[in-house]
Amino acid sequence: TTAEEVARHTALVRSQFDDVMRTGGHHPVRRYDPAAHRHYVRRRALLGALAPLEFESVLDVGCAEGFFLDAVVSEFDVEGWGIDLSLQAARTVRNRYGHRSAAGDGGRLPFGDGAFDLVYSTETIEHVVDAEAFMRELRRVARRHVVVTTPASYTTASFAPDFDLADEGHIQQFTPARIAEVAG
């Protein structure tokens, strides 16, 4: 993958997600939405995974509208930031939940080394061209913990499209072996 291909892909994803955000968004808001069952399940799993960790500051990379960021900040009473490739998403985080947010690329985070106790990304890495660079950046800005969730695939083709979720922009699949490879 060349730098030009990555830049083209990044611009396409940003444009597509800006469109999604303008038409209502990706996650439920502060009211119950029966069509968003998987988001509630993921939120509960994320909060459970984070419960034993000690942290006072958090960065959500690929935060979309801030659904998970708001849940983490509210549940653990911590300082939180969100970053998403989409400028519309960053605006929505601020307008809907009042959290600090920025538009930016997860592969080049605009924060200093060790800026946050916890850096997490939930179901974003499968949309990223260079998963290793993405993980390096998460580790770089984390002082204590990095948590990444992704749908696991059971094919042997690490980079084959996830055809069941292709309409959601998944460009990589993660088998347990691939997850371990990327996570180091």
Side-chain angles (χ1 to χ4, degrees):
T1 305
T2 67
E4 185 178 300
E5 290 170 326
V6 171
R8 251 193 330 269
H9 173 74
T10 300
L12 177 64
V13 171
R14 178 179 288 124
S15 172
Q16 289 173 338
F17 204 67
D18 279 342
D19 288 345
V20 167
M21 292 303 302
R22 280 195 268 298
T23 59
H26 179 81
H27 294 123
V29 292
R30 285 186 167 152
R31 60 179 165 62
Y32 179 70
D33 179 351
H37 177 75
R38 71 184 180 127
H39 298 292
Y40 297 117
V41 170
R42 286 175 41 216
R43 179 179 66 186
R44 186 175 175 142
L46 178 65
L47 295 176
L50 300 182
L53 305 179
E54 291 185 24
F55 59 98
E56 294 179 13
S57 61
V58 63
L59 173 65
D60 180 342
V61 181
C63 66
E65 302 91 333
F67 176 73
F68 294 104
L69 175 62
D70 187 61
V72 171
V73 168
S74 298
E75 178 76 13
F76 299 105
D77 191 27
V78 295
E79 176 187 332
W81 263 91
I83 190 162
D84 197 277
L85 194 56
S86 165
L87 181 57
Q88 282 296 132
R91 287 182 184 140
T92 301
V93 170
R94 287 190 301 272
N95 294 338
R96 183 177 293 168
Y97 298 111
H99 300 307
R100 289 177 286 183
S101 61
D105 184 343
R108 291 184 303 278
L109 295 169
F111 302 103
D113 296 355
F116 300 91
D117 291 331
L118 167 66
V119 176
Y120 73 91
S121 181
T122 177
E123 299 203 19
T124 299
I125 196 169
E126 64 275 8
H127 301 272
V128 174
V129 173
D130 189 343
E132 287 82 358
F134 183 81
M135 285 299 298
R136 278 192 302 274
E137 274 298 278
L138 271 56
R139 282 190 207 101
R140 183 185 66 76
V141 300
R143 190 171 20 253
R144 291 182 170 166
H145 312 286
V146 174
V147 174
V148 176
T149 71
T150 186
S153 169
Y154 294 99
T155 70
T156 57
S158 297
F159 296 100
D162 185 342
F163 294 108
D164 292 337
L165 296 169
D167 63 333
E168 295 190 29
H170 294 197
I171 61 169
Q172 293 198 49
Q173 289 191 45
F174 287 88
T175 62
R178 176 74 176 127
I179 292 167
E181 176 186 327
V182 170

